[in-house]
Coordinates of all heavy atoms in Angstrom, one line a residue:
M20 N 39.0 -2.3 -28.0 CA 39.7 -2.5 -26.8 C 39.5 -4.0 -26.4 O 38.4 -4.5 -26.4 CB 39.1 -1.6 -25.7 CG 40.2 -1.2 -24.7 SD 39.5 -0.2 -23.4 CE 38.2 0.7 -24.1
A21 N 40.6 -4.7 -26.1 CA 40.6 -6.1 -25.8 C 39.9 -6.4 -24.4 O 40.3 -5.8 -23.4 CB 42.0 -6.7 -25.9
V22 N 39.0 -7.3 -24.5 CA 38.3 -7.8 -23.2 C 38.8 -9.2 -23.1 O 38.7 -10.0 -24.0 CB 36.8 -7.6 -23.3 CG1 36.1 -8.2 -22.1 CG2 36.4 -6.2 -23.6
P23 N 39.2 -9.7 -21.9 CA 39.6 -11.1 -21.7 C 38.4 -12.0 -22.0 O 37.3 -11.8 -21.5 CB 40.0 -11.1 -20.2 CG 40.1 -9.7 -19.7 CD 39.3 -8.9 -20.6
E24 N 38.7 -13.1 -22.7 CA 37.7 -14.1 -23.0 C 37.7 -15.1 -21.8 O 38.7 -15.3 -21.1 CB 38.2 -15.0 -24.2 CG 37.5 -14.5 -25.5 CD 37.8 -15.5 -26.6 OE1 39.0 -15.5 -27.1 OE2 36.9 -16.2 -27.0
L25 N 36.5 -15.6 -21.5 CA 36.4 -16.7 -20.5 C 37.2 -17.9 -20.9 O 37.2 -18.2 -22.1 CB 34.9 -17.1 -20.3 CG 33.9 -16.0 -19.8 CD1 32.5 -16.6 -19.6 CD2 34.4 -15.3 -18.6
D26 N 37.8 -18.6 -20.0 CA 38.5 -19.8 -20.3 C 37.4 -21.0 -20.2 O 36.3 -20.7 -19.9 CB 39.7 -20.1 -19.4 CG 39.4 -20.2 -18.0 OD1 38.2 -20.6 -17.6 OD2 40.3 -20.0 -17.1
A27 N 37.8 -22.2 -20.5 CA 36.9 -23.3 -20.6 C 36.2 -23.5 -19.2 O 35.0 -23.7 -19.2 CB 37.6 -24.6 -21.0
Q28 N 36.9 -23.4 -18.2 CA 36.3 -23.6 -16.8 C 35.3 -22.5 -16.5 O 34.2 -22.8 -16.0 CB 37.5 -23.6 -15.8 CG 37.0 -24.2 -14.5 CD 38.1 -24.1 -13.4 OE1 39.3 -24.1 -13.8 NE2 37.8 -24.1 -12.2
E29 N 35.7 -21.3 -16.8 CA 34.7 -20.2 -16.6 C 33.5 -20.3 -17.4 O 32.4 -19.9 -17.0 CB 35.4 -18.8 -16.9 CG 36.5 -18.5 -15.8 CD 37.5 -17.4 -16.3 OE1 37.7 -17.2 -17.5 OE2 38.0 -16.7 -15.4
T30 N 33.6 -20.8 -18.7 CA 32.5 -21.0 -19.5 C 31.6 -22.1 -19.0 O 30.3 -21.9 -19.0 CB 33.0 -21.4 -21.0 OG1 33.8 -20.3 -21.5 CG2 31.8 -21.6 -21.9
E31 N 32.2 -23.2 -18.5 CA 31.4 -24.2 -17.8 C 30.6 -23.7 -16.6 O 29.4 -24.0 -16.4 CB 32.3 -25.4 -17.3 CG 32.8 -26.3 -18.4 CD 31.6 -26.9 -19.2 OE1 30.7 -27.4 -18.6 OE2 31.6 -26.8 -20.4
Q32 N 31.3 -22.8 -15.9 CA 30.6 -22.2 -14.7 C 29.5 -21.3 -15.1 O 28.4 -21.4 -14.5 CB 31.7 -21.4 -13.9 CG 31.2 -21.0 -12.5 CD 30.8 -22.1 -11.6 OE1 31.6 -23.0 -11.4 NE2 29.6 -22.1 -11.1
L33 N 29.7 -20.6 -16.2 CA 28.6 -19.7 -16.7 C 27.4 -20.5 -17.1 O 26.2 -20.2 -16.7 CB 29.1 -18.9 -17.9 CG 28.1 -18.2 -18.8 CD1 27.3 -17.2 -18.1 CD2 28.8 -17.6 -20.0
L34 N 27.6 -21.7 -17.7 CA 26.5 -22.5 -18.1 C 25.8 -23.2 -16.9 O 24.6 -23.4 -16.9 CB 26.9 -23.6 -19.2 CG 27.4 -23.0 -20.5 CD1 28.1 -24.1 -21.3 CD2 26.2 -22.4 -21.3
A35 N 26.6 -23.5 -15.9 CA 26.1 -24.1 -14.7 C 25.2 -23.1 -14.0 O 24.2 -23.4 -13.4 CB 27.2 -24.7 -13.9
D36 N 25.7 -21.9 -13.9 CA 25.0 -20.8 -13.2 C 23.7 -20.4 -13.9 O 22.8 -19.9 -13.3 CB 25.9 -19.6 -13.0 CG 27.0 -19.8 -12.0 OD1 26.9 -20.8 -11.3 OD2 28.0 -19.0 -12.1
H37 N 23.7 -20.6 -15.3 CA 22.6 -20.1 -16.1 C 22.1 -21.2 -17.0 O 22.4 -21.2 -18.2 CB 23.0 -18.8 -16.9 CG 23.5 -17.7 -16.0 ND1 22.7 -17.0 -15.1 CD2 24.8 -17.3 -15.7 CE1 23.4 -16.2 -14.4 NE2 24.7 -16.4 -14.7
P38 N 21.5 -22.2 -16.5 CA 21.1 -23.4 -17.2 C 20.2 -23.2 -18.4 O 20.1 -24.1 -19.2 CB 20.6 -24.4 -16.2 CG 20.2 -23.5 -15.0 CD 21.0 -22.3 -15.1
D39 N 19.5 -22.1 -18.4 CA 18.6 -21.8 -19.6 C 19.3 -21.3 -20.8 O 18.7 -21.1 -21.8 CB 17.5 -20.8 -19.1 CG 16.6 -21.4 -18.1 OD1 16.3 -22.6 -18.2 OD2 16.2 -20.7 -17.2
W40 N 20.6 -21.0 -20.6 CA 21.4 -20.5 -21.8 C 22.1 -21.7 -22.4 O 22.6 -22.6 -21.7 CB 22.3 -19.4 -21.3 CG 21.6 -18.2 -20.8 CD1 21.1 -18.1 -19.6 CD2 21.4 -17.0 -21.5 NE1 20.5 -16.8 -19.5 CE2 20.7 -16.1 -20.6 CE3 21.7 -16.6 -22.8 CZ2 20.2 -14.9 -21.0 CZ3 21.3 -15.3 -23.2 CH2 20.6 -14.4 -22.3
S41 N 22.3 -21.7 -23.7 CA 23.1 -22.7 -24.4 C 24.2 -22.1 -25.2 O 24.1 -20.9 -25.7 CB 22.2 -23.6 -25.2 OG 21.5 -22.9 -26.1
L42 N 25.3 -22.8 -25.3 CA 26.5 -22.4 -26.0 C 26.2 -22.4 -27.5 O 25.7 -23.4 -28.0 CB 27.6 -23.3 -25.5 CG 29.0 -22.8 -25.5 CD1 29.1 -21.5 -24.7 CD2 29.9 -23.8 -25.0
G43 N 26.7 -21.4 -28.2 CA 26.6 -21.4 -29.6 C 27.8 -20.8 -30.3 O 28.8 -20.5 -29.6
R44 N 27.8 -20.7 -31.6 CA 28.9 -20.1 -32.3 C 30.3 -20.7 -31.9 O 31.2 -19.9 -31.6 CB 28.9 -18.6 -32.2 CG 27.7 -18.0 -32.9 CD 27.9 -16.5 -33.0 NE 26.6 -15.9 -33.2 CZ 26.3 -14.6 -33.0 NH1 27.2 -13.8 -32.6 NH2 25.1 -14.2 -33.2
E45 N 30.3 -22.0 -31.8 CA 31.6 -22.7 -31.5 C 32.2 -22.1 -30.1 O 33.4 -21.9 -30.0 CB 32.6 -22.5 -32.6 CG 32.1 -23.2 -33.9 CD 33.0 -23.1 -35.0 OE1 33.8 -22.2 -35.1 OE2 33.0 -24.0 -35.9
G46 N 31.3 -21.9 -29.2 CA 31.7 -21.5 -27.8 C 31.9 -20.0 -27.7 O 32.4 -19.6 -26.6
K47 N 31.5 -19.3 -28.7 CA 31.8 -17.8 -28.6 C 30.5 -17.0 -28.3 O 30.6 -15.8 -28.2 CB 32.3 -17.3 -30.0 CG 33.6 -18.1 -30.4 CD 34.6 -17.1 -30.9 CE 36.0 -17.8 -31.2 NZ 36.8 -17.8 -30.0
A48 N 29.4 -17.7 -28.0 CA 28.2 -17.0 -27.7 C 27.3 -17.9 -26.8 O 27.5 -19.1 -26.8 CB 27.5 -16.5 -28.9
I49 N 26.4 -17.2 -26.1 CA 25.3 -18.0 -25.4 C 24.0 -17.5 -25.9 O 23.8 -16.3 -26.2 CB 25.4 -17.9 -23.9 CG1 25.5 -16.5 -23.4 CG2 26.5 -18.8 -23.4 CD1 25.4 -16.3 -21.9
T50 N 23.0 -18.3 -25.9 CA 21.6 -18.0 -26.4 C 20.6 -18.5 -25.5 O 20.7 -19.6 -24.9 CB 21.4 -18.6 -27.8 OG1 22.4 -18.1 -28.7 CG2 20.1 -18.2 -28.4
R51 N 19.5 -17.7 -25.3 CA 18.3 -18.2 -24.6 C 17.1 -17.7 -25.3 O 17.1 -16.5 -25.8 CB 18.3 -17.6 -23.1 CG 17.1 -18.1 -22.4 CD 17.1 -17.7 -20.9 NE 15.8 -18.0 -20.3 CZ 15.4 -17.7 -19.1 NH1 16.3 -17.1 -18.2 NH2 14.2 -18.1 -18.6
T52 N 16.1 -18.5 -25.4 CA 14.8 -18.2 -26.1 C 13.8 -17.9 -25.0 O 13.6 -18.7 -24.1 CB 14.4 -19.3 -27.0 OG1 15.4 -19.4 -28.0 CG2 13.1 -18.9 -27.7
F53 N 13.1 -16.8 -25.1 CA 12.0 -16.5 -24.2 C 10.7 -16.5 -25.0 O 10.6 -15.9 -26.1 CB 12.2 -15.1 -23.7 CG 13.5 -14.9 -22.8 CD1 14.7 -14.7 -23.5 CD2 13.4 -15.1 -21.5 CE1 15.8 -14.5 -22.7 CE2 14.6 -14.9 -20.7 CZ 15.8 -14.7 -21.3
Q54 N 9.7 -17.1 -24.4 CA 8.3 -17.1 -25.0 C 7.4 -16.4 -24.1 O 7.2 -16.7 -22.9 CB 7.9 -18.6 -25.2 CG 6.6 -18.8 -25.9 CD 6.7 -18.4 -27.4 OE1 7.6 -18.8 -28.1 NE2 5.8 -17.5 -27.9
F55 N 6.7 -15.4 -24.6 CA 5.8 -14.6 -23.8 C 4.4 -14.8 -24.3 O 4.2 -15.6 -25.3 CB 6.1 -13.1 -24.0 CG 7.5 -12.8 -23.4 CD1 8.6 -12.8 -24.2 CD2 7.6 -12.6 -22.0 CE1 9.9 -12.5 -23.6 CE2 8.9 -12.4 -21.4 CZ 10.0 -12.3 -22.2
G56 N 3.4 -14.2 -23.7 CA 2.0 -14.4 -24.0 C 1.6 -13.7 -25.3 O 0.7 -14.2 -26.1
D57 N 2.2 -12.6 -25.5 CA 1.9 -11.8 -26.7 C 3.0 -10.8 -27.1 O 4.0 -10.7 -26.3 CB 0.5 -11.0 -26.6 CG 0.5 -10.1 -25.4 OD1 1.6 -9.7 -24.9 OD2 -0.6 -9.8 -24.9
F58 N 2.9 -10.1 -28.1 CA 3.9 -9.1 -28.6 C 4.2 -8.0 -27.5 O 5.3 -7.7 -27.3 CB 3.5 -8.5 -29.9 CG 4.5 -7.5 -30.4 CD1 5.8 -7.9 -30.9 CD2 4.2 -6.1 -30.3 CE1 6.7 -7.0 -31.3 CE2 5.2 -5.2 -30.7 CZ 6.4 -5.6 -31.2
S59 N 3.1 -7.6 -26.9 CA 3.3 -6.5 -25.9 C 4.2 -6.9 -24.7 O 5.1 -6.2 -24.3 CB 1.9 -6.1 -25.4 OG 2.0 -5.0 -24.5
E60 N 4.0 -8.1 -24.3 CA 4.9 -8.7 -23.2 C 6.3 -8.8 -23.7 O 7.3 -8.5 -23.0 CB 4.4 -10.0 -22.7 CG 3.2 -9.9 -21.8 CD 2.8 -11.3 -21.3 OE1 3.6 -12.3 -21.2 OE2 1.6 -11.5 -21.1
A61 N 6.4 -9.3 -24.9 CA 7.8 -9.5 -25.5 C 8.5 -8.2 -25.6 O 9.7 -8.0 -25.2 CB 7.7 -10.2 -26.8
W62 N 7.8 -7.2 -26.1 CA 8.4 -5.9 -26.3 C 8.7 -5.2 -24.9 O 9.8 -4.5 -24.8 CB 7.5 -5.0 -27.1 CG 8.1 -3.7 -27.5 CD1 8.0 -2.5 -27.0 CD2 9.1 -3.6 -28.6 NE1 8.8 -1.6 -27.7 CE2 9.5 -2.3 -28.7 CE3 9.6 -4.5 -29.6 CZ2 10.4 -1.8 -29.6 CZ3 10.5 -4.1 -30.5 CH2 10.9 -2.7 -30.5
G63 N 7.9 -5.4 -23.9 CA 8.1 -4.9 -22.6 C 9.4 -5.5 -22.0 O 10.3 -4.8 -21.5
F64 N 9.6 -6.8 -22.2 CA 10.8 -7.5 -21.8 C 12.0 -6.9 -22.5 O 13.1 -6.5 -21.9 CB 10.7 -9.0 -22.1 CG 12.0 -9.7 -22.0 CD1 12.5 -10.1 -20.7 CD2 12.7 -10.1 -23.1 CE1 13.7 -10.8 -20.7 CE2 13.8 -10.8 -23.1 CZ 14.4 -11.2 -21.8
M65 N 11.9 -6.7 -23.8 CA 13.0 -6.1 -24.6 C 13.3 -4.7 -24.1 O 14.5 -4.3 -24.1 CB 12.7 -6.2 -26.1 CG 12.6 -7.5 -26.7 SD 12.0 -7.6 -28.4 CE 13.5 -7.1 -29.2
S66 N 12.3 -4.0 -23.8 CA 12.6 -2.6 -23.3 C 13.4 -2.6 -22.0 O 14.3 -1.8 -21.8 CB 11.3 -1.9 -23.0 OG 10.6 -1.7 -24.2
R67 N 13.0 -3.6 -21.1 CA 13.7 -3.7 -19.8 C 15.2 -4.1 -20.1 O 16.1 -3.6 -19.4 CB 13.0 -4.6 -18.9 CG 11.7 -4.0 -18.3 CD 11.0 -4.8 -17.2 NE 10.4 -6.0 -17.7 CZ 9.1 -6.0 -18.2 NH1 8.5 -4.8 -18.3 NH2 8.6 -7.1 -18.7
V68 N 15.3 -5.1 -21.0 CA 16.7 -5.5 -21.3 C 17.5 -4.4 -21.9 O 18.7 -4.2 -21.6 CB 16.7 -6.8 -22.2 CG1 18.1 -7.1 -22.7 CG2 16.1 -8.0 -21.5
A69 N 16.9 -3.6 -22.7 CA 17.6 -2.5 -23.4 C 18.1 -1.5 -22.3 O 19.3 -1.0 -22.5 CB 16.7 -1.8 -24.4
L70 N 17.4 -1.3 -21.3 CA 17.8 -0.4 -20.3 C 19.0 -1.0 -19.5 O 20.0 -0.3 -19.2 CB 16.7 0.0 -19.3 CG 15.6 0.8 -19.9 CD1 14.4 1.0 -18.9 CD2 16.0 2.1 -20.4
L71 N 18.9 -2.3 -19.2 CA 20.1 -3.0 -18.6 C 21.3 -2.9 -19.4 O 22.4 -2.7 -19.0 CB 19.7 -4.5 -18.3 CG 18.7 -4.8 -17.3 CD1 18.4 -6.3 -17.4 CD2 19.3 -4.5 -15.9
A72 N 21.1 -3.1 -20.7 CA 22.2 -3.2 -21.7 C 22.9 -1.8 -21.7 O 24.1 -1.7 -21.7 CB 21.7 -3.6 -23.1
E73 N 22.1 -0.8 -21.7 CA 22.7 0.6 -21.7 C 23.5 0.8 -20.4 O 24.6 1.4 -20.5 CB 21.6 1.6 -21.9 CG 21.3 1.9 -23.4 CD 22.4 2.5 -24.2 OE1 22.5 3.7 -24.2 OE2 23.2 1.7 -24.7
A74 N 22.9 0.4 -19.3 CA 23.5 0.7 -18.0 C 24.8 -0.1 -17.9 O 25.8 0.4 -17.3 CB 22.6 0.2 -16.9
Q75 N 24.9 -1.3 -18.6 CA 26.1 -2.1 -18.5 C 27.0 -1.9 -19.7 O 28.1 -2.5 -19.8 CB 25.7 -3.6 -18.4 CG 24.9 -3.9 -17.2 CD 24.5 -5.4 -17.0 OE1 25.1 -6.3 -17.7 NE2 23.6 -5.7 -16.1
D76 N 26.6 -1.0 -20.6 CA 27.3 -0.8 -21.9 C 27.7 -2.1 -22.5 O 28.8 -2.4 -22.9 CB 28.6 0.1 -21.6 CG 29.2 0.5 -22.9 OD1 28.5 0.7 -23.9 OD2 30.5 0.7 -23.0
H77 N 26.7 -3.0 -22.5 CA 26.9 -4.3 -23.2 C 25.5 -4.7 -23.8 O 24.5 -4.8 -23.1 CB 27.3 -5.3 -22.1 CG 27.9 -6.6 -22.7 ND1 29.0 -6.6 -23.5 CD2 27.5 -7.9 -22.7 CE1 29.3 -7.8 -24.0 NE2 28.3 -8.6 -23.5
H78 N 25.6 -5.0 -25.1 CA 24.3 -5.0 -25.8 C 24.0 -6.4 -26.4 O 25.0 -7.0 -27.0 CB 24.3 -3.9 -26.9 CG 24.5 -2.6 -26.3 ND1 25.8 -2.1 -26.0 CD2 23.6 -1.7 -25.9 CE1 25.6 -0.9 -25.4 NE2 24.3 -0.6 -25.4
P79 N 22.8 -6.9 -26.3 CA 22.5 -8.2 -26.9 C 22.3 -8.1 -28.4 O 22.0 -7.1 -29.0 CB 21.1 -8.5 -26.2 CG 20.5 -7.2 -26.0 CD 21.6 -6.2 -25.7
E80 N 22.4 -9.3 -29.0 CA 21.9 -9.5 -30.4 C 20.6 -10.3 -30.1 O 20.6 -11.2 -29.3 CB 22.9 -10.4 -31.2 CG 24.2 -9.7 -31.3 CD 25.2 -10.6 -32.1 OE1 24.8 -11.5 -32.8 OE2 26.4 -10.4 -31.9
W81 N 19.6 -9.9 -30.8 CA 18.3 -10.6 -30.6 C 17.4 -10.6 -31.8 O 17.6 -9.8 -32.7 CB 17.6 -10.0 -29.4 CG 17.5 -8.5 -29.3 CD1 17.6 -7.6 -30.2 CD2 17.2 -7.8 -28.1 NE1 17.5 -6.3 -29.7 CE2 17.1 -6.4 -28.4 CE3 16.9 -8.1 -26.7 CZ2 16.9 -5.4 -27.5 CZ3 16.6 -7.1 -25.8 CH2 16.6 -5.8 -26.2
F82 N 16.4 -11.5 -31.7 CA 15.5 -11.8 -32.8 C 14.1 -11.9 -32.2 O 14.0 -12.7 -31.3 CB 16.0 -13.0 -33.5 CG 15.1 -13.4 -34.7 CD1 15.1 -12.7 -35.9 CD2 14.2 -14.5 -34.6 CE1 14.3 -13.0 -36.9 CE2 13.4 -14.8 -35.7 CZ 13.5 -14.1 -36.8
N83 N 13.2 -11.1 -32.7 CA 11.9 -11.2 -32.1 C 10.9 -11.5 -33.2 O 10.9 -10.9 -34.3 CB 11.5 -9.8 -31.5 CG 10.1 -9.6 -31.3 OD1 9.5 -8.6 -31.8 ND2 9.4 -10.4 -30.5
V84 N 10.0 -12.5 -32.9 CA 8.8 -12.7 -33.8 C 7.7 -12.8 -32.8 O 7.6 -13.7 -32.0 CB 9.0 -14.1 -34.6 CG1 7.7 -14.3 -35.4 CG2 10.1 -14.0 -35.5
Y85 N 6.7 -11.9 -33.0 CA 5.5 -11.8 -32.1 C 5.9 -11.9 -30.6 O 6.4 -11.0 -30.1 CB 4.5 -12.8 -32.6 CG 3.2 -12.7 -31.8 CD1 2.5 -11.5 -31.7 CD2 2.6 -13.8 -31.2 CE1 1.3 -11.3 -31.0 CE2 1.4 -13.7 -30.5 CZ 0.8 -12.4 -30.4 OH -0.4 -12.3 -29.7
A86 N 5.6 -13.1 -30.0 CA 5.8 -13.2 -28.6 C 7.1 -13.9 -28.2 O 7.3 -14.2 -27.1 CB 4.6 -14.0 -28.0
K87 N 7.9 -14.2 -29.2 CA 9.2 -15.0 -29.0 C 10.4 -14.0 -29.1 O 10.4 -13.2 -30.1 CB 9.3 -16.1 -30.0 CG 10.6 -17.0 -29.8 CD 10.6 -18.2 -30.7 CE 11.3 -17.8 -32.0 NZ 11.5 -18.9 -32.9
V88 N 11.3 -14.1 -28.2 CA 12.5 -13.3 -28.2 C 13.7 -14.3 -28.1 O 13.8 -14.9 -27.0 CB 12.6 -12.2 -27.2 CG1 13.8 -11.4 -27.3 CG2 11.3 -11.3 -27.2
E89 N 14.6 -14.3 -29.0 CA 15.8 -15.1 -28.9 C 17.0 -14.1 -28.6 O 17.2 -13.2 -29.4 CB 16.1 -15.8 -30.2 CG 15.2 -17.0 -30.5 CD 15.4 -17.6 -31.9 OE1 16.4 -17.2 -32.5 OE2 14.6 -18.4 -32.3
V90 N 17.6 -14.3 -27.5 CA 18.7 -13.4 -27.1 C 20.0 -14.1 -27.2 O 20.2 -15.2 -26.7 CB 18.5 -12.9 -25.6 CG1 19.6 -12.0 -25.2 CG2 17.1 -12.3 -25.5
T91 N 21.0 -13.5 -27.9 CA 22.3 -14.0 -28.0 C 23.3 -13.0 -27.4 O 23.2 -11.8 -27.6 CB 22.7 -14.3 -29.5 OG1 21.9 -15.2 -30.0 CG2 24.2 -14.7 -29.6
L92 N 24.2 -13.5 -26.5 CA 25.2 -12.7 -25.9 C 26.5 -13.1 -26.3 O 26.9 -14.3 -26.3 CB 25.0 -12.8 -24.3 CG 23.7 -12.4 -23.7 CD1 23.7 -12.6 -22.2 CD2 23.3 -11.0 -24.1
T93 N 27.3 -12.1 -26.7 CA 28.7 -12.3 -27.1 C 29.4 -11.0 -26.9 O 28.7 -10.0 -26.8 CB 28.8 -12.9 -28.5 OG1 30.2 -13.2 -28.8 CG2 28.4 -11.8 -29.5
T94 N 30.7 -11.0 -26.8 CA 31.4 -9.8 -26.6 C 32.3 -9.5 -27.8 O 33.2 -10.2 -28.1 CB 32.3 -9.8 -25.3 OG1 31.5 -10.1 -24.2 CG2 33.1 -8.6 -25.1
H95 N 31.9 -8.5 -28.6 CA 32.6 -8.2 -29.8 C 34.1 -7.8 -29.6 O 34.9 -8.1 -30.4 CB 31.9 -7.0 -30.6 CG 30.4 -7.2 -30.7 ND1 29.5 -6.3 -30.3 CD2 29.7 -8.3 -31.1 CE1 28.3 -6.7 -30.4 NE2 28.3 -7.9 -30.9
D96 N 34.3 -7.2 -28.4 CA 35.6 -6.8 -28.1 C 36.5 -7.8 -27.5 O 37.6 -7.5 -27.0 CB 35.6 -5.5 -27.2 CG 34.9 -4.4 -27.8 OD1 34.8 -4.3 -29.1 OD2 34.4 -3.5 -27.1
A97 N 36.0 -9.1 -27.4 CA 36.8 -10.2 -26.8 C 37.5 -11.0 -27.8 O 37.0 -11.2 -28.9 CB 35.9 -11.1 -25.9
G98 N 38.7 -11.5 -27.5 CA 39.4 -12.4 -28.3 C 39.8 -11.7 -29.7 O 39.8 -10.5 -29.8
E99 N 40.0 -12.6 -30.6 CA 40.4 -12.1 -32.0 C 39.2 -11.6 -32.7 O 39.3 -10.5 -33.4 CB 41.0 -13.3 -32.8 CG 42.2 -14.0 -32.2 CD 43.5 -13.3 -32.8 OE1 43.5 -13.2 -34.0 OE2 44.4 -13.0 -32.0
S100 N 38.1 -12.3 -32.6 CA 36.9 -11.8 -33.4 C 35.6 -12.1 -32.6 O 34.7 -12.6 -33.1 CB 36.9 -12.6 -34.7 OG 36.9 -14.0 -34.5
G101 N 35.7 -11.7 -31.3 CA 34.5 -11.9 -30.5 C 34.6 -13.2 -29.7 O 35.2 -14.2 -30.1
G102 N 33.9 -13.2 -28.5 CA 33.9 -14.4 -27.7 C 33.2 -14.1 -26.4 O 32.6 -13.0 -26.3
L103 N 33.1 -15.0 -25.5 CA 32.4 -14.8 -24.2 C 33.3 -14.2 -23.2 O 34.5 -14.5 -23.2 CB 32.0 -16.2 -23.7 CG 30.8 -16.8 -24.4 CD1 30.6 -18.2 -23.9 CD2 29.5 -16.0 -24.2
S104 N 32.8 -13.3 -22.5 CA 33.5 -12.6 -21.4 C 32.7 -12.4 -20.2 O 31.5 -12.8 -20.2 CB 34.0 -11.2 -21.9 OG 32.9 -10.3 -21.8
A105 N 33.2 -11.9 -19.1 CA 32.5 -11.7 -17.9 C 31.3 -10.7 -18.1 O 30.3 -10.8 -17.4 CB 33.4 -11.1 -16.8
R106 N 31.4 -9.9 -19.1 CA 30.3 -9.0 -19.4 C 29.0 -9.8 -19.8 O 27.9 -9.4 -19.5 CB 30.7 -8.0 -20.6 CG 31.8 -7.1 -20.2 CD 32.1 -6.2 -21.4 NE 33.2 -5.4 -21.2 CZ 33.7 -4.4 -22.0 NH1 33.0 -4.2 -23.1 NH2 34.7 -3.7 -21.7
D107 N 29.2 -10.9 -20.6 CA 28.1 -11.7 -21.0 C 27.5 -12.4 -19.8 O 26.3 -12.5 -19.6 CB 28.6 -12.8 -22.0 CG 29.1 -12.1 -23.3 OD1 28.4 -11.2 -23.9 OD2 30.3 -12.3 -23.6
A108 N 28.4 -12.9 -18.9 CA 27.9 -13.6 -17.6 C 27.1 -12.6 -16.8 O 26.0 -12.9 -16.3 CB 29.1 -14.1 -16.8
K109 N 27.5 -11.3 -16.7 CA 26.8 -10.3 -15.9 C 25.5 -10.0 -16.5 O 24.4 -9.9 -15.8 CB 27.7 -9.1 -15.8 CG 27.1 -8.0 -15.0 CD 27.9 -6.8 -14.9 CE 27.3 -5.7 -14.1 NZ 28.0 -4.4 -14.1
L110 N 25.4 -9.8 -17.9 CA 24.2 -9.5 -18.5 C 23.2 -10.7 -18.5 O 22.0 -10.5 -18.2 CB 24.4 -9.0 -19.9 CG 23.2 -8.4 -20.7 CD1 22.5 -7.3 -19.9 CD2 23.6 -7.9 -22.1
A111 N 23.7 -11.9 -18.6 CA 22.8 -13.1 -18.5 C 22.2 -13.1 -17.1 O 21.0 -13.4 -17.0 CB 23.6 -14.3 -18.8
A112 N 23.0 -12.9 -16.1 CA 22.4 -12.9 -14.7 C 21.4 -11.8 -14.6 O 20.3 -12.1 -14.0 CB 23.6 -12.7 -13.8
S113 N 21.6 -10.6 -15.1 CA 20.6 -9.6 -15.0 C 19.3 -9.9 -15.8 O 18.2 -9.7 -15.3 CB 21.1 -8.3 -15.6 OG 22.3 -7.9 -14.9
I114 N 19.5 -10.5 -17.0 CA 18.3 -10.9 -17.8 C 17.5 -12.0 -17.1 O 16.3 -12.0 -17.0 CB 18.7 -11.3 -19.2 CG1 19.2 -10.1 -20.0 CG2 17.6 -12.0 -19.9 CD1 19.9 -10.4 -21.3
D115 N 18.3 -13.0 -16.5 CA 17.6 -14.1 -15.8 C 16.8 -13.6 -14.6 O 15.7 -14.1 -14.3 CB 18.6 -15.1 -15.3 CG 19.1 -16.1 -16.4 OD1 18.5 -16.0 -17.5 OD2 20.0 -16.9 -16.1
A116 N 17.3 -12.5 -14.0 CA 16.6 -11.9 -12.8 C 15.3 -11.3 -13.2 O 14.4 -11.2 -12.5 CB 17.5 -11.0 -12.1
L117 N 15.3 -10.8 -14.5 CA 14.0 -10.1 -15.0 C 13.0 -11.1 -15.4 O 11.8 -10.9 -15.3 CB 14.4 -9.4 -16.3 CG 14.9 -8.0 -16.3 CD1 14.9 -7.5 -17.8 CD2 13.9 -7.1 -15.6
A118 N 13.5 -12.3 -16.0 CA 12.5 -13.2 -16.6 C 11.6 -13.9 -15.6 O 12.0 -14.1 -14.5 CB 13.3 -14.2 -17.5
Ligands
H2B206 C1 32.5 1.5 -27.0 C2 31.6 0.6 -26.3 O1 31.9 0.5 -24.9 C3 31.8 -0.8 -26.8 O2 31.6 -0.8 -28.2 C4 30.8 -1.8 -26.2 C5 29.3 -1.5 -26.4 N1 28.5 -2.7 -26.3 C6 29.0 -4.0 -26.6 N2 28.2 -5.0 -26.6 C7 28.7 -6.2 -26.9 N3 27.8 -7.3 -27.0 N4 30.0 -6.4 -27.1 C8 30.9 -5.5 -27.0 O3 32.1 -5.7 -27.2 C9 30.4 -4.1 -26.7 N5 31.2 -3.1 -26.6

């Protein structure tokens, strides 16, 4: 199902609102790296994000090594082959509120 992609101005606003996130994949994704004290804290964070993701029906791509979690947000159902949408902005805001 097609989800509208953010336009350039909306993408700028997203980055302004969430300065810890950076644009990647040629503007089709945003990424933020979280560093925790240990694996248990990192996993606790991932568990909380997983619940948010389920509630929003929007799921992160992520990479965890011990206490580090890299989160990438993109919308598979946006544009021709994925891109940023309001769903990413909403999940980024929820994750920022947790962190
Ligand atoms: C059917 C279901 O609503 C869709 O597949 C949802 C699930 N989670 C999703 N997560 C992400 N990141 N992008 C999507 O397009 C997406 N689509």
Side-chain angles (χ1 to χ4, degrees):
M20 215 184 321
V22 176
E24 266 189 287
L25 299 184
D26 64 23
Q28 194 183 337
E29 290 166 332
T30 301
E31 282 305 310
Q32 190 62 53
L33 167 59
L34 294 171
D36 290 343
H37 304 288
D39 293 322
W40 295 80
S41 55
L42 208 53
R44 293 193 199 161
E45 299 180 333
K47 303 221 172 276
I49 50 171
T50 300
R51 179 175 172 185
T52 299
F53 297 85
Q54 186 69 50
F55 296 95
D57 57 23
F58 177 73
S59 181
E60 280 182 30
W62 191 260
F64 168 77
M65 292 174 78
S66 298
R67 289 189 285 278
V68 171
L70 295 175
L71 287 173
E73 276 293 273
Q75 295 180 16
D76 191 28
H77 195 63
H78 301 85
E80 298 178 24
W81 48 16
F82 180 73
N83 163 241
V84 178
Y85 186 52
K87 184 175 85 172
V88 182
E89 290 172 9
V90 180
T91 297
L92 301 180
T93 187
T94 301
H95 311 128
D96 298 337
E99 297 269 313
S100 56
L103 287 170
S104 76
R106 296 180 185 185
D107 299 304
K109 182 179 176 188
L110 188 53
S113 300
I114 292 172
D115 280 356
L117 272 187

